[in-house]
Amino acid sequence: MSFLDRSIREIHEAYLRGETTPYELTLEAIARAKANQDNALETLDENGALTFAKTLMDPEPENLLWGIPYFAKDNLSTKGIETTASSNILAGYIPVFDATVIAKLKKRKAVLLGKTTLDELGMGGTGTTGRKGMTYNPYAPNHDRLIGGSSSGSAAVTAASIVPFALGSDTGDSIRKPASYAGLVGFKPTWGRISRYGLFPFAPSLDHVGFFTRNVDDAAILLQALAGRDEKDATSSDQEVKDYPVLQKLSPLGYKVAVIAEIVDSLTDPVMKEKFAASVAEMKQAGIQVDEVHLPHELLSSVYATYLVISSAEATSNNANLDGIKFGPYYEGKSYQEVMCKARTKGFSELTKRRFVIGSFALMAENQEKLFLRAQKNRARIVAAIESIFSQYDLIYGPAAPSVAPMVHPKTEMNTIAENHLAIGNFGGFPSLSLPLALEEGLPLGVNLTGRIFEEEKVLALASWLESYTGLAGLSALNAKEKQ
Amino acid sequence: MKEITIDVLKDAASRLMFEMTEEEYVKLFQELSSLTAQMEAISQCEDLDGYEPMTFPYPVQTTYLREDEPLPPLKREEALSNAGSTLEGQIKLPKVVG
């Protein structure tokens, strides 16, 4: 087993014992990245990573992230490294500043290896709309399964054990759904918990920065490192940052957990239903209170339309600056309008254009009341229903996805309640984490925990307990057969 | 609400400053028609108007004022480094006023 297959804490201890070095590990990670066939990378910064890793000579005992290699989603600004958000309209764009999360990891001396693919500009949940084409799921070497999106490349490099963690972003379920399909811990903390300065905005009222890891402890380590107020992001919170690596070890006995029956009832996969029910029974057996609660079917069915209207409306205005003039490929024209029109026509994929038109249509004066404002009111209605549950329960437990990763060309409609409910975590800004529950014929099934805002420690503590129950800490595409 | 037609969608795309193919407009028409039907279903909820439109997950109060300290601005070379068309230290565009 390589140190790359270990947890952040284990790699740190190996550094302290002198068993390996950041340079050696970076070399090995680069070799794995080059050998990987999942189309997960926008940029591999081989020289930058090796040059930096070579400077790391003396391990810092208190700094768990010292020398840890990682990748970042390509919608996070990285100074001096091309950042395209997997869109042709940003081809060649090299930021002049680092996103706050990148700067924080740089300060902690983590080693950035490069940038990962995404659904263009973060829009989409399939991992198929980026400028480099489809990103594949490492669990399906014959490339017949989706990995999901939009943080498709970050999920792939973590599941393929190229790095122990990767940064992502989540506007609807863009970390938590691919985490489910790739057998990972995928965590988006409370909206405002982690600075979004330097994240390319898709829908700022829903956008979160988060990460993929292969165990809960690593997620707690990263949350502690990345959380906190940032004056460069007016929406970042000054709420106290807690000692998550310690708190995630606390017993969840005494927590009250709700399972929304209508979400579970919408599952059709028999293995998922059986494994989920078994996990609930195990929690109850251990003394954790788990109750079934109910929400109206129509309320849960309205999540996707509400999400699509709000996110598209926000996206269409936020991406108006992508004009092919200040950055991105320049196309000659007789007028600046022609320059812009050529850049945007050639630069955006079909799906992105459709989302922009939908958003623009929803914002037209004649339509605003019936589409945009109605969606915003429905968002409030959904969040009020969830907060009502949180008035009595600490956490909500449910499936992270209805099944294992879908085929590249799904035979069934991907539009069920269980498919779309994770966006509720974005509507209310709730901390929300996916983790693997079981393997079905070698492919991961995932579950989700969502908590009250700024109560990440409870999410992590129950996730840690569940991880002990499943025995899937450290799961990757490389060791899935052993873990089955 | 404005009726959804291919012409309305073409006008919206034009205002957004990009072009789409005829096939893409047909797909968009179907998607938007389905979406508006779903939004119409949401409007059947009797208490919907009892909720204020939600613009952020929770109220955000940012009341600090940073110290008025001069900081180094972005260098001209950096500001121009990503522009595809520049001339004499400025971004060059086609003539705007005739």
Side-chain angles (χ1 to χ4, degrees):
Chain A
M1 183 194 261
S2 160
F3 288 109
L4 286 175
D5 304 317
R6 309 275 178 91
S7 69
I8 290 173
R9 198 177 290 278
E10 287 168 340
I11 295 171
H12 174 70
E13 287 163 1
Y15 284 153
L16 292 179
R17 289 194 297 267
E19 292 170 358
T20 186
T21 65
Y23 185 71
E24 283 176 7
L25 215 52
T26 301
L27 271 177
E28 192 180 348
I30 288 168
R32 284 192 179 190
K34 285 181 173 175
N36 182 271
Q37 299 291 312
D38 296 320
N39 192 31
L41 299 185
E42 283 289 340
T43 304
L44 179 62
D45 185 22
E46 187 173 351
N47 289 337
L50 286 173
T51 301
F52 179 57
K54 207 177 262 183
T55 67
L56 301 176
M57 305 298 283
D58 300 312
E60 297 173 3
E62 303 302 317
N63 179 4
L64 288 165
L65 294 172
W66 183 90
I68 304 291
Y70 79 102
F71 278 97
K73 188 174 179 179
D74 202 36
N75 60 354
L76 289 162
S77 279
T78 43
K79 186 175 182 178
I81 301 175
E82 185 185 28
T83 304
T84 67
S86 289
S87 178
N88 282 320
I89 202 162
L90 284 164
Y93 170 59
I94 299 178
V96 296
F97 70 99
D98 280 327
T100 291
V101 284
I102 300 290
K104 282 191 169 190
L105 289 172
K106 200 175 265 184
K107 200 170 175 185
R108 295 288 297 271
K109 299 176 185 164
V111 181
L112 175 63
L113 290 184
K115 310 297 288 295
T116 57
T117 55
L118 57 148
D119 279 301
E120 185 182 30
L121 300 168
M123 292 179 224
T126 57
T128 62
T129 67
R131 65 179 184 142
K132 291 192 170 178
M134 184 181 298
T135 298
Y136 301 105
N137 192 321
Y139 280 83
N142 51 355
H143 291 170
D144 61 353
R145 297 271 174 181
L146 295 175
I147 191 160
S150 64
S151 307
S152 39
S154 287
V157 294
T158 313
S161 213
I162 297 170
V163 285
F165 80 91
L167 298 179
S169 66
D170 188 316
T171 303
D173 55 22
S174 285
I175 289 174
R176 295 160 291 153
K177 186 74 74 63
S180 180
Y181 293 156
L184 298 169
V185 174
F187 194 17
K188 78 149 202 72
T190 306
W191 187 85
R193 182 59 102 180
I194 295 178
S195 168
R196 300 178 300 170
Y197 177 72
L199 170 71
F200 293 0
F202 161 15
S205 83
L206 303 165
D207 292 341
H208 297 63
V209 171
F211 36 80
F212 296 89
T213 62
R214 292 193 297 272
N215 62 72
V216 176
D217 185 38
D218 284 0
I221 291 167
L222 282 167
L223 178 58
Q224 193 178 33
L226 299 177
R229 169 73 183 172
D230 175 14
E231 291 193 350
K232 292 175 179 169
D233 174 2
T235 61
S236 69
S237 172
D238 54 11
Q239 287 268 334
E240 177 201 2
V241 176
K242 301 167 193 168
D243 190 348
Y244 302 106
V246 169
L247 294 171
Q248 62 96 13
K249 291 177 186 160
L250 296 180
S251 167
L253 298 184
Y255 289 176
K256 293 172 73 178
V257 180
V259 171
I260 299 172
E262 289 72 17
I263 294 174
V264 179
D265 290 347
S266 76
L267 292 172
T268 55
D269 182 291
V271 178
M272 182 67 202
K273 287 168 87 157
E274 178 207 323
K275 299 283 185 187
F276 184 80
S279 68
V280 170
E282 188 69 19
M283 274 193 249
K284 289 180 177 174
Q285 178 74 22
I288 299 168
Q289 182 181 336
V290 187
D291 295 333
E292 197 171 76
V293 298
H294 293 273
L295 287 179
H297 193 277
E298 62 79 21
L299 184 85
L300 292 163
S301 296
S302 72
V303 168
Y304 183 68
T306 302
Y307 167 76
L308 189 57
V309 169
I310 292 172
S311 64
S312 299
E314 291 189 29
T316 196
S317 56
N318 276 301
N319 289 287
N321 66 333
L322 301 180
D323 54 17
I325 292 173
K326 300 176 287 296
F327 36 69
Y330 181 84
Y331 299 94
E332 293 290 343
K334 293 190 180 106
S335 63
Y336 77 88
Q337 291 95 332
E338 192 181 334
V339 170
M340 284 177 66
C341 191
K342 280 184 178 174
R344 288 168 70 86
T345 299
K346 293 175 194 285
F348 295 133
S349 71
E350 182 199 351
L351 180 129
T352 297
K353 288 177 185 171
R354 290 208 312 269
R355 294 268 179 112
F356 286 166
V357 175
I358 288 170
S360 177
F361 188 82
L363 290 172
M364 286 177 185
E366 308 94 308
N367 306 334
Q368 251 187 45
E369 177 64 39
K370 289 200 168 177
L371 291 177
F372 187 55
L373 290 177
R374 191 172 283 172
Q376 287 184 316
K377 287 178 185 177
N378 201 49
R379 176 181 179 178
R381 184 170 72 108
I382 293 167
V383 171
I386 297 297
E387 284 178 341
S388 168
I389 294 173
F390 281 140
S391 69
Q392 298 179 63
Y393 294 90
D394 300 289
L395 295 158
I396 296 173
Y397 178 53
S403 64
V404 298
M407 303 297 286
V408 168
H409 300 292
K411 289 176 184 153
T412 52
E413 183 72 21
M414 292 167 63
N415 196 24
T416 62
I417 287 176
E419 187 74 53
N420 297 317
H421 74 96
L422 293 184
I424 291 172
N426 303 76
F427 290 170
F430 307 117
S432 187
L433 179 149
S434 294
L435 77 161
L437 172 67
L439 290 159
E440 180 183 356
E441 296 179 4
L443 296 170
L445 292 164
V447 283
N448 178 264
L449 288 165
T450 296
R452 300 182 190 122
I453 58 170
F454 298 110
E455 290 190 355
E456 285 86 357
E457 65 279 10
K458 288 184 179 175
V459 174
L460 289 163
L462 186 53
S464 184
W465 185 92
L466 274 167
E467 189 177 64
S468 299
Y469 159 67
T470 64
L472 293 177
L475 178 67
S476 77
L478 305 189
N479 65 18
K481 280 186 183 163
E482 300 156 30
K483 300 256 183 189
Q484 177 92 35
Chain B
M1 195 172 75
K2 201 166 194 167
E3 186 187 355
I4 304 169
T5 65
I6 296 287
D7 284 342
V8 166
L9 300 182
K10 284 184 177 176
D11 181 54
S14 169
R15 289 164 192 264
L16 289 165
M17 305 193 84
F18 54 69
E19 294 169 0
M20 296 170 65
T21 66
E22 292 300 321
E23 293 78 25
E24 288 170 350
Y25 280 117
V26 171
K27 196 169 176 183
L28 171 61
F29 176 85
Q30 291 165 347
E31 187 178 9
L32 188 52
S33 299
S34 166
L35 179 64
T36 52
Q38 290 176 63
M39 290 305 298
E40 191 55 39
I42 290 171
S43 72
Q44 303 303 314
C45 166
E46 286 179 3
D47 63 344
L48 188 63
D49 286 329
Y51 293 90
E52 284 295 312
M54 189 172 191
T55 52
F56 291 101
Y58 55 85
V60 176
Q61 287 188 326
T62 292
T63 52
Y64 82 100
L65 287 173
R66 67 175 171 81
E67 293 302 314
D68 192 12
E69 294 170 359
L71 296 170
L74 195 63
K75 291 177 190 162
R76 175 184 278 183
E77 298 74 37
E78 287 182 324
L80 295 176
S81 63
N82 282 296
S85 173
T86 60
L87 180 69
E88 296 175 0
Q90 297 183 59
I91 295 174
K92 184 190 167 198
L93 276 178
K95 191 183 279 186
V96 175
V97 181

